[in-house]
């Protein structure tokens, strides 16, 4: 409940107190939840340590699905630190694991993250291929939160390719989906992306409004990485206004 409410310090405290009380697969799932909250608040080194502990346990239990989930979590932390080769190696192992047990949700997540690695490396065609493959899976299983994320990612690729109108449309669709399901963190990301397009189209007052909304939301959910990005973006919008 604390995690869902973005009461991150409280969530971490509860998960840490629970850890000694559970074993086996339940312990792995707990560690991955703990690692995700720690990752959110920006302590990537500790998140990696927690996820590595979960992976070691999954290996010892020969649990294919749990191992794939751990590899995926570690891939995301590696990606955020620019260790792209490692991220892709882990995602490849995770993909094989999820396919072995027939886990569509896991497969969709792997394709999603692989698309983001490709985007960060400048391989936009590969990024779109992965994002669209993931979107098909997410639509089939009705995962609206992930659908919003994928539309957002596709909007970023359209931005990189210089198609700002298409990018804006994709971000607006993502924002609507995220608003419908009350995804505060996702709404914060979408308002950031719409602000970016406004900057690129020289609509600096609009951009500042979007970034201020995003800043408030990201402070609320405690996403340190996005708060830093908002500061950067607000500076660009303010500079564009001549202030």
């Amino acid at each position: 409940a604390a995690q869902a409410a973005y009461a991150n310090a409280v969530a971490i405290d509860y998960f840490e107190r629970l850890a000694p009380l559970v074993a086996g697969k339940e312990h792995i799932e707990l560690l991955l939840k703990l690692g995700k909250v720690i990752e959110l608040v920006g302590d990537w080194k500790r998140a990696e340590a927690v996820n590595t502990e979960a992976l070691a346990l999954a290996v010892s239990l020969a649990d294919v699905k749990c191992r794939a989930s751990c590899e995926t979590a570690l891939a995301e932390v590696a990606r955020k630190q620019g260790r792209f080769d490692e991220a892709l190696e882990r995602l490849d192992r995770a993909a094989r694991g999820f396919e072995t047990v027939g886990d569509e949700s896991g497969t969709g997540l792997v394709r999603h993250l692989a698309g983001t690695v490709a985007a960060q490396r400048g391989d936009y065609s590969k990024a779109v291929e992965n994002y669209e493959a993931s979107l098909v899976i997410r639509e089939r299983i009705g995962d609206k939160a992930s659908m919003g994320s994928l539309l957002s990612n596709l909007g970023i690729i359209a931005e990189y390719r210089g198609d700002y109108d298409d990018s804006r449309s994709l971000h607006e669709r993502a924002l609507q989906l995220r608003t419908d399901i009350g995804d505060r963190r996702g709404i914060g990301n979408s308002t950031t992306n719409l602000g970016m397009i406004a900057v690129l189209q020289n609509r600096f007052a609009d951009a500042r409004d979007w970034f201020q909304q995003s800043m408030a939301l990201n402070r609320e959910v405690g996403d340190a990485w996005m708060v830093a990005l908002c500061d950067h973006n607000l500076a660009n919008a303010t500079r564009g206004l001549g202030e």
Side-chain angles (χ1 to χ4, degrees):
Q3 182 183 25
Y6 296 104
N8 299 315
V10 178
I12 290 169
D13 178 59
Y14 275 120
F15 285 144
E16 288 177 336
R17 289 159 57 190
L18 177 59
L21 309 178
V22 295
K25 182 177 178 180
E26 190 176 4
H27 191 65
I28 296 169
E29 293 171 349
L30 166 68
L31 289 173
L32 290 176
K33 289 179 181 179
L34 173 61
K36 182 54 66 176
V37 182
I38 294 171
E39 176 192 328
L40 175 64
V41 300
D43 190 348
W44 293 336
K45 184 176 181 180
R46 187 174 172 219
E48 189 167 12
V50 170
N51 292 333
T52 299
E53 181 184 347
L55 177 60
L57 182 54
V59 170
S60 72
L61 296 176
D63 189 311
V64 175
K65 182 177 177 179
C66 283
R67 182 171 182 172
S69 295
C70 295
E71 291 281 13
T72 303
L74 284 163
E76 179 65 349
V77 176
R79 179 193 70 79
K80 286 186 173 180
Q81 296 177 85
R83 305 197 316 262
F84 299 134
D85 288 339
E86 177 190 338
L88 288 175
E89 288 171 6
R90 290 191 180 281
L91 289 173
D92 185 57
R93 289 195 290 270
R96 293 197 299 271
F98 286 131
E99 287 168 8
T100 297
V101 298
D103 187 326
E104 274 202 305
S105 179
T107 299
L109 177 57
V110 166
R111 294 299 297 267
H112 191 161
L113 297 179
T116 300
V117 173
Q120 288 183 282
R121 283 184 148 175
D123 188 347
Y124 302 144
S125 295
K126 189 70 174 177
V128 170
E129 176 188 333
N130 277 294
Y131 287 150
E132 289 182 342
S134 182
L135 185 58
V136 168
I137 294 171
R138 298 303 188 176
E139 289 174 337
R140 183 163 59 241
I141 64 179
D143 184 347
K144 290 187 177 182
S146 294
M147 287 164 59
S149 294
L150 287 158
L151 289 170
S152 179
N153 290 136
L154 287 165
I156 291 170
I157 299 299
E159 173 197 328
Y160 291 165
R161 287 174 161 172
D163 190 344
Y164 301 147
D165 288 337
D166 186 41
S167 178
R168 183 178 179 181
S169 175
L170 285 161
H171 289 314
E172 287 172 344
R173 287 172 60 194
L175 177 60
Q176 185 61 60
L177 262 177
R178 288 164 158 174
T179 300
D180 289 345
I181 62 174
D183 179 1
R184 285 181 291 163
R185 189 181 180 196
I187 293 168
N189 288 337
S190 286
T191 50
T192 294
N193 291 330
L194 284 163
M196 293 296 294
I197 297 305
V199 166
L200 291 166
Q201 294 183 321
N202 296 321
R203 295 182 290 107
F204 298 114
D206 288 344
R208 184 168 61 180
D209 290 344
W210 284 120
F211 291 145
Q212 286 173 339
Q213 290 181 52
S214 181
M215 174 70 84
L217 283 161
N218 283 298
R219 286 194 186 282
E220 183 182 328
V221 304
D223 190 332
W225 189 27
M226 286 299 295
V227 169
L229 183 62
C230 286
D231 276 319
H232 183 148
N233 292 338
L234 273 169
N236 285 335
T238 305
R239 181 182 62 188
L241 289 167
E243 297 177 13

